[in-house]
Amino acid sequence: MRLVIARCSVDYAGRLTAHLPSAPRLILVKADGSVSIHADDRAYKPLNWMSPPCTLKEGTGEDEGVWTVINKAGEKLIITMEEVLHDSSHELGVDPGLIKDGVEAHLQELLADRIETLGDGYTLIRREYPTAIGPVDILCRDAEGKTVAVEIKRRGEIDGVEQLTRYLELLNRDPHLAPVRGIFAAQEIKPQARVLATDRGIGCQVLDYDALRGIEDDKLRLF
């Protein structure tokens, strides 16, 4: 990535025209070929930009200090440099991507390790219990020894209840497991999903991710 801080003006010519008058700005030239111009506000959103594929040509001679960026549609972004305050390039390499905290797989792992969260006397049968239409997140038994299928979501919506309903219909055909009831577990359960689950005899369980990880909240407590 190339970072250029410069006093410059910017003109865009394409489906419409736009002009940015002279001011200090940050110009980002990324490895994918994109060019974007930023001010010291507006958070992440650029003032103007050109998405790849595009080409950047830096002027020479009489055109020195003029950058012309052209995309495949022939649109132009013309950056006229008046004073370059900083110009550096950095190799960032391949980005590993965003790793989200509390993804469903981690919630499943945590709940399986702390199955008593669902109630006293619960025991785990197995995670990812296989069925003909896909694996059930958790299969367990309650204190009375009855089978319980648990579907886990970060955000509990109607489609998750429908998914668990299909699992229950299939599992209840197995005489070794039946009767099987369901629990819909999520960090947040939408009201419509809760109504549908209740109507179908499916229990709802809101999961506290920090509690499952054993992290105490930072509020003062009296003992």
Side-chain angles (χ1 to χ4, degrees):
M1 179 183 290
R2 184 177 178 186
L3 308 175
V4 177
I5 299 175
R7 178 173 292 278
C8 62
S9 60
V10 183
D11 291 279
Y12 171 80
R15 289 166 292 181
L16 49 82
T17 59
H19 174 72
L20 293 173
S22 176
R25 296 189 176 93
L26 169 65
I27 304 166
L28 299 182
V29 183
K30 294 187 177 181
D32 63 3
S34 63
V35 178
S36 56
I37 296 96
H38 299 259
D40 200 11
D41 61 4
R42 298 164 59 95
Y44 63 89
K45 189 175 181 180
L47 297 167
N48 214 325
W49 68 94
M50 192 70 81
S51 301
C54 58
T55 59
L56 167 62
K57 179 181 178 181
E58 297 186 41
T60 58
E62 294 182 357
D63 293 329
E64 186 176 0
V66 177
W67 289 13
T68 303
V69 187
I70 306 175
N71 65 12
K72 63 180 181 180
E75 298 169 315
K76 294 182 179 181
L77 190 66
I78 301 171
I79 307 168
T80 303
M81 307 286 189
E82 298 173 15
E83 181 183 9
V84 176
L85 305 173
H86 175 86
D87 189 347
S88 64
S89 297
H90 307 271
E91 180 59 53
L92 301 185
V94 178
D95 190 270
L98 177 65
I99 300 175
K100 295 183 179 180
D101 196 17
V103 294
E104 290 170 15
H106 197 199
L107 283 169
Q108 181 193 122
E109 180 182 355
L110 290 168
L111 185 58
D113 288 342
R114 298 164 177 78
I115 199 67
E116 68 279 359
T117 301
L118 299 176
D120 294 336
Y122 273 70
T123 56
L124 178 69
I125 296 177
R126 68 167 289 175
R127 291 170 51 195
E128 298 287 334
Y129 186 87
T131 75
I133 57 174
V136 178
D137 287 337
I138 290 179
L139 199 67
C140 58
R141 297 191 188 280
D142 62 16
E144 298 177 355
K146 295 181 179 179
T147 310
V148 181
V150 184
E151 180 64 25
I152 299 170
K153 300 291 184 186
R154 295 187 68 189
R155 176 178 295 177
E157 300 187 19
I158 286 177
D159 58 348
V161 178
E162 295 285 5
Q163 182 180 0
L164 179 53
T165 299
R166 292 192 294 271
Y167 287 143
L168 290 172
E169 290 176 353
L170 194 61
L171 292 169
N172 272 300
R173 298 176 191 173
D174 187 339
H176 299 291
L177 298 175
V180 184
R181 64 182 179 90
I183 293 179
F184 188 49
Q187 289 179 281
E188 174 192 0
I189 299 178
K190 295 295 184 179
Q192 300 92 330
R194 186 179 291 275
V195 169
L196 181 61
T198 301
D199 183 67
R200 295 183 177 179
I202 294 171
C204 292
Q205 178 80 37
V206 175
L207 300 176
D208 185 327
Y209 182 56
D210 286 343
L212 284 172
R213 291 193 300 173
I215 297 176
E216 298 290 339
D217 63 40
D218 58 0
K219 297 178 181 177
L220 294 176
R221 298 182 180 182
L222 296 177
F223 294 92

